Amino acid sequence: MSKRKATRKRKPEVGRKQGKKTARKRAAGPGRRSRRKRRAASGGLGRVRWRTGLIAALVLALAWTAWLDFRIRHEFEGKRWALPATVYARPLELYEGLVLSPDQFREELERLDYRLDRSLAEPGTFRRARGHFLLHKRAFRFADGASPARKLEVGFRHGRITALRDPDSGKAIDLIRLEPARIGGIYPAHREDRILIRLEQAPPELREGIIAVEDRRFREHHGINPRAIARALWANLRAGATVQGGSTITQQLVKNFFLSNRRSLWRKANEAVMAILLELHYDKDAILEAYLNEIYLGQDGDRAIHGFGLASRFYFDREVERLTLPQIATLIALVRGPSWYDPRRHPDRLLERRNLVLRIMAEQGVIDAARAREAARTGLGIRLGRLAGSRWPAFVDLVHRQLQRDYRREDLTSEGLRIFTSFDPLVQSRAERALKRRIRELDKARGLDGKLQGAVVVTDTRTGEVLAVVGDREPRYPGFNRALDAVRPIGSLIKPAVYLTALRQPERYTLSTAIDDGPIRIQGPNGTIWSPKNYDGRSHGTVPLFAALIHSYNQATVRLGMALGFEAIADTLARLGATREVPAYPSMLLGAVGFTPFEMAGMYQTLASGGFRTPLRAIREVTTAEGQPLGRYPLDVEQTLEPAPVAALVSALREVTRSGTARSLQTRLPDGLDVAGKTGTTDDLRDSWFAGFSGDRLAVVWLGRDDNRTIRLSGSRGALVVWGDILASIPTTGLLPPASDDVEYHWIDADTGLLSEAGCPGAVELAYVRGTAPSERAPCAGGGKVEEGGGPFNWLRRLFR
């Protein structure tokens, strides 16, 4: 009973406990269950979101990889590099009779980087014996075809080539061209420069050496080398800095070709993916060839040197095929860091690295140990080559401007065009030397403190081709090009145009016409009086027209110009080639009008060619990188002036250099070299000019200051001296009288303008339009009248008919 009761009593308690639990559950009720459901639902949604995010990331990664793959194929299969246009000088044409001294010929060879080698074992070598040269000419692809490498023998005597033959067969050669010098380039905006090479052009030691040093498993991996990455990571962690890289050759190519140098995980990831993709599409040889042409190997001023083709020229002045083993190892050493191992600043550092490269090449079996030890005993032998682009900036500037008329900028900087020009290295060097030397002397003598500047333009009178341009007292400085851009008053250089205007009217004026050199006063529209004076401060009364020009009388020139009229003189200037508008006021008659040295060269070129205007040109032809002709620039000649008046004027300009303002040239030029020219001086001696020509060369020289202050130099004491130095140092021929039935030559009395004879004191030889020469004789010639005759030069005229 008691047990039963007790049992009964315990049951309700259990029920109460369970009831409490149930009550608690009921109290919690649906809220607790909803939280569990929410947690379950949240977990499911997270998994969905995670899967969705993963899928999206995979899609983006695939899309990005596809984009990288498209970029690689598009850029790598197309035009891989923006190749600058290459500018070449004229080729030296050799033939019997060419005016060229042995020393000048050697200078030409050295400028082309020919080496002295008695064996003549390879192209680009020469040796000199008494009176002749033997050389092994390099091959070159000209616009009109390929010229193979061959051996030549060139003989000299009395400053001319007297023999040109094949040394093996002894057979005479009529004409042969040496390869032209590379004088410049027109570069893309990023200023990269390279010379592309094919893989087979690279020596085996270069091809295998770069693999041994930079990527030993190059032939085995597929773009990345996990072992190398791990090894580099461990080395860097131990050193606490980046001391070793794990990039393969393919990765280095990708970084240089497609990516920036910015260090980041994102760039590194792209580099790895692109390296794998590159290896999927292209074989190892194509990748290695691209690497050899793309890798950065140094800096030449503001130009980046890329590829082994250009680096071999820059550091050793030779083609990549001719590199020696020590030179190959040096270039491979530079791959690790061209700035860190710069041979100009850190030669010891580079030497140590080069010798390490040699040891690695020996360890990897590229070369044997004996060759490595022998190569390590040599010095670096760095001979920085003369890369074009900065040595002759003024001339290359002219080429660029003339090219822009026919070619787009992007074509000139990316298509690898080959520009063949008229540039003459010998003439250029002489012009630079003369200008620099005389400017230094004049600076010191006049106390100009380095402020004197100058410019020179030299042309071929027969073709209008520009041979040399100097735009600064420091010819290598690529700044303001004074030859093309300095617009300066030309002073008395304008006077030939005034006198030619008169001579074009032979019924009114001849060289013997009397003109007044008395004082003159001209009132301007505002009431001011202009009263020009002669340079010597004197008046000379009535003088023959030629005497006024020869002695550059200002008063006579102004009187003549006012009688002729401004419009007639402006027309003559335009026919000579002037394109600037000429102001119609009296001071223009004495050169108060601005032109550049290049423009003056063009105008005097018309005089030198007998009245035939030939626009000055610096370009001969343009080809593609493969040698296909794109454009030729033939001789463009237009007769704009009558030859007979021009011949008369030139005979007077010839006398300027004999007895006039330029007579000091007689002591500066070789005996027997006839030239014609005109001095030019501006107000307050601010500008010094000389323009003149021989039988085949024309040069214009200007000296002055950029701030237009006085230099205290007349044309005869400044520019003429430079001009004389140039003409005396280059091969040239003397001035010959033009062969024309309309011209006759006579000896003329310098004081009266009457007929004279060669033996009479002060007699000058001048040209006249036929039938216009004076009919009276000067006292020395016997006085009286003469029949229409020939004059002493008529036999030469008949010879050239």
Side-chain angles (χ1 to χ4, degrees):
M1 180 72 180
S2 60
K3 289 180 181 178
R4 199 178 296 125
K5 287 181 181 178
T7 303
R8 288 183 185 136
K9 287 179 182 176
R10 280 196 292 269
K11 286 181 180 178
E13 191 168 339
V14 172
R16 283 196 301 273
K17 289 180 181 179
Q18 289 176 345
K20 288 179 183 179
K21 290 180 182 178
T22 302
R24 284 197 297 271
K25 288 179 182 179
R26 286 174 180 166
R32 180 173 241 183
R33 287 196 300 271
S34 65
R35 280 197 298 274
R36 287 179 180 176
K37 289 178 180 179
R38 283 199 299 272
R39 282 198 296 270
S42 176
L45 182 60
R47 285 190 294 273
V48 171
R49 286 176 177 172
W50 182 83
R51 292 191 188 100
T52 303
L54 179 62
I55 292 170
L58 288 173
V59 170
L60 288 174
L62 289 172
W64 182 248
T65 303
W67 159 246
L68 294 178
D69 185 69
F70 168 79
R71 183 182 171 192
I72 285 171
R73 287 184 287 108
H74 176 72
E75 295 184 23
F76 206 75
E77 289 177 2
K79 184 175 59 183
R80 298 184 185 177
W81 294 280
L83 296 178
T86 302
V87 183
Y88 292 98
R90 60 93 180 101
L92 179 61
E93 295 184 336
L94 305 178
Y95 55 89
E96 287 189 22
L98 176 66
V99 178
L100 189 71
S101 72
D103 288 342
Q104 289 169 341
F105 184 59
R106 175 161 186 158
E107 186 179 337
E108 288 274 358
L109 293 178
E110 290 175 345
R111 192 175 287 110
L112 289 171
D113 304 322
Y114 275 66
R115 296 177 297 105
L116 192 62
D117 181 357
R118 298 194 62 82
S119 68
L120 303 180
E122 58 183 4
T125 57
F126 77 97
R127 76 171 184 258
R128 182 177 183 177
R130 183 178 301 175
H132 70 278
F133 283 78
L134 288 168
L135 68 145
H136 195 163
K137 183 186 81 69
R138 297 190 187 103
F140 189 81
R141 189 176 68 251
F142 292 95
D144 57 358
S147 175
R150 65 179 299 183
K151 293 181 180 179
L152 304 172
E153 182 177 359
V154 187
F156 292 86
R157 190 176 182 185
H158 302 311
R160 290 179 180 271
I161 292 181
T162 55
L164 183 63
R165 54 181 170 262
D166 185 307
D168 297 326
S169 67
K171 185 178 179 180
I173 300 171
D174 294 330
L175 174 71
I176 199 162
R177 293 175 291 184
L178 298 185
E179 69 277 11
R182 185 176 186 264
I183 64 167
I186 301 173
Y187 303 96
H190 46 71
R191 303 292 294 177
E192 287 185 8
D193 195 7
R194 55 175 54 78
I195 295 175
L196 295 183
I197 61 170
R198 297 183 300 275
L199 187 61
E200 56 267 26
Q201 287 179 265
E205 294 89 348
L206 175 58
R207 297 195 300 264
E208 300 307 318
I210 200 73
I211 292 173
V213 174
E214 292 296 320
D215 188 0
R216 299 175 190 176
R217 294 175 57 83
F218 173 70
R219 301 287 185 190
E220 303 167 18
H221 63 65
H222 299 289
I224 60 174
N225 185 352
R227 291 184 185 177
I229 294 173
R231 184 170 60 248
L233 181 62
W234 175 244
N236 294 340
L237 288 172
R238 290 179 62 187
T242 302
V243 296
Q244 187 174 328
S247 295
T248 64
I249 282 176
T250 313
Q251 286 176 276
Q252 292 180 47
L253 175 61
V254 165
K255 181 184 71 174
N256 282 275
F257 197 88
F258 299 102
L259 304 173
S260 70
N261 288 324
R262 182 181 178 186
R263 293 186 176 183
S264 66
L265 290 176
W266 174 249
R267 195 215 58 149
K268 202 67 180 173
N270 279 333
E271 178 187 295
V273 173
M274 294 176 83
I276 295 171
L277 293 171
L278 193 66
E279 296 253 3
L280 285 174
H281 292 295
Y282 304 100
D283 61 32
K284 294 290 186 179
D285 283 351
I287 292 171
L288 183 59
E289 181 178 270
Y291 179 86
L292 295 178
N293 284 306
E294 174 62 25
I295 194 68
Y296 172 67
L297 289 169
Q299 201 74 22
D300 177 26
D302 61 349
R303 289 188 306 143
I305 306 299
H306 283 258
F308 286 89
L310 185 60
S312 63
R313 288 286 301 272
F314 180 60
Y315 290 108
F316 300 109
D317 211 8
R318 57 173 54 193
E319 292 80 12
V320 68
E321 299 95 322
R322 295 173 47 230
L323 290 173
T324 64
L325 176 59
Q327 292 168 344
I328 289 171
T330 299
L331 294 184
I332 294 174
L334 286 169
V335 171
R336 186 56 58 93
S339 297
W340 181 254
Y341 296 108
D342 187 337
R344 292 162 293 196
R345 294 181 295 163
H346 309 296
D348 294 338
R349 191 182 289 172
L350 177 59
L351 184 64
E352 182 180 356
R353 173 69 184 171
R354 186 208 63 179
N355 291 342
L356 174 60
V357 168
L358 288 168
R359 289 197 298 273
I360 293 173
M361 291 173 68
E363 291 168 2
Q364 296 297 310
V366 178
I367 57 175
D368 58 47
R371 286 188 70 195
R373 288 193 298 270
E374 181 183 357
R377 286 194 291 267
T378 66
L380 288 174
I382 297 293
R383 182 189 173 195
L384 292 180
R386 294 189 291 269
L387 293 185
S390 58
R391 284 183 59 79
W392 301 288
F395 187 90
V396 174
D397 183 20
L398 171 62
V399 171
H400 193 187
R401 296 188 196 195
Q402 293 190 349
L403 283 171
Q404 284 180 322
R405 298 182 304 211
D406 303 313
Y407 297 90
R408 299 179 304 166
R409 171 73 188 179
E410 53 267 34
D411 292 335
L412 294 174
T413 59
S414 64
E415 297 293 340
L417 301 183
R418 303 167 80 222
I419 317 298
F420 295 93
T421 75
S422 55
F423 180 81
D424 189 315
L426 176 64
V427 176
Q428 178 76 25
S429 68
R430 297 300 189 266
E432 292 177 356
R433 186 183 305 172
L435 185 67
K436 289 181 66 175
R437 182 164 68 105
R438 292 301 181 181
I439 280 184
R440 283 198 299 266
E441 292 175 357
L442 293 169
D443 251 343
K444 184 177 180 180
R446 304 282 169 168
L448 296 173
D449 299 325
K451 299 296 178 60
L452 184 61
Q453 270 293 351
V456 179
V457 178
V458 185
T459 71
D460 186 321
T461 61
R462 302 161 299 182
T463 62
E465 290 184 330
V466 181
L467 307 179
V469 180
V470 186
D472 193 283
R473 62 180 289 159
E474 295 298 333
R476 304 291 176 266
Y477 180 68
F480 181 53
N481 190 342
R482 292 162 188 81
L484 305 185
D485 297 324
V487 180
R488 304 289 299 211
I490 60 174
S492 295
L493 289 196
I494 202 171
K495 289 177 180 175
V498 177
Y499 287 85
L500 181 58
T501 304
L503 294 172
R504 291 178 63 204
Q505 305 173 41
E507 69 283 358
R508 293 180 58 193
Y509 296 99
T510 73
L511 289 176
S512 291
T513 300
I515 57 176
D516 184 8
D517 186 50
I520 183 171
R521 290 166 55 87
I522 299 175
Q523 183 173 341
N526 58 356
T528 58
I529 301 297
W530 182 56
S531 183
K533 306 295 183 190
N534 288 329
Y535 184 74
D536 62 4
R538 298 164 50 200
S539 298
H540 304 90
T542 301
V543 296
L545 185 143
F546 72 82
L549 175 58
I550 290 171
H551 300 293
S552 201
Y553 294 154
N554 291 336
Q555 294 172 166
T557 303
V558 172
R559 286 183 180 276
L560 178 62
M562 296 297 288
L564 293 168
F566 297 121
E567 289 186 5
I569 296 169
D571 176 66
T572 299
L573 286 168
R575 289 173 180 270
L576 287 170
T579 56
R580 295 180 184 272
E581 185 176 349
V582 179
Y585 47 73
S587 59
M588 176 269 286
L589 301 171
L590 299 182
V593 57
F595 288 96
T596 68
F598 187 78
E599 289 170 328
M600 292 312 303
M603 293 160 66
Y604 273 75
Q605 176 79 25
T606 306
L607 295 179
S609 61
F612 292 85
R613 187 172 65 201
T614 305
L616 300 185
R617 61 196 178 106
I619 306 166
R620 290 181 173 177
E621 48 210 354
V622 179
T623 75
T624 65
E626 295 75 29
Q628 296 299 315
L630 284 180
R632 296 185 181 275
Y633 293 75
L635 187 63
D636 183 12
V637 180
E638 178 187 4
Q639 183 177 347
T640 57
L641 291 162
E642 305 84 353
V646 173
L649 177 73
V650 169
S651 71
L653 293 178
R654 173 174 170 266
E655 196 58 37
V656 168
T657 70
R658 292 186 159 201
S659 61
T661 56
R663 59 187 175 275
S664 63
L665 280 175
Q666 295 302 307
T667 63
R668 299 182 181 279
L669 299 177
D671 291 340
L673 180 62
D674 262 351
V675 297
K678 186 71 187 74
T679 54
T681 310
T682 59
D683 288 347
D684 300 323
L685 302 178
R686 290 189 175 96
D687 300 89
S688 173
W689 290 88
F690 190 81
F693 46 91
S694 62
D696 59 352
R697 296 290 179 261
L698 178 147
V700 172
V701 178
W702 167 83
L703 299 179
R705 287 177 56 148
D706 291 337
D707 59 11
N708 202 33
R709 297 175 63 181
T710 182
I711 59 174
R712 303 191 301 280
L713 285 170
S714 65
S716 61
R717 293 184 177 274
L720 178 144
V721 179
V722 177
W723 191 95
D725 287 351
I726 296 171
L727 266 288
S729 63
I730 63 176
T732 186
T733 59
L735 191 66
L736 287 175
S740 171
D741 289 337
D742 298 328
V743 179
E744 56 187 31
Y745 286 82
H746 297 276
W747 287 98
I748 302 296
D749 181 72
D751 294 327
T752 64
L754 301 180
L755 290 176
S756 185
E757 293 180 355
C760 291
V764 295
E765 191 177 23
L766 300 172
Y768 289 80
V769 177
R770 179 167 293 281
T772 65
S775 57
E776 295 184 31
R777 293 182 182 274
C780 174
K785 291 185 175 289
V786 296
E787 297 179 2
E788 181 180 351
F793 261 141
N794 277 336
W795 67 271
L796 191 57
R797 172 182 57 80
R798 289 192 296 271
L799 179 65
F800 281 95
R801 280 183 182 175

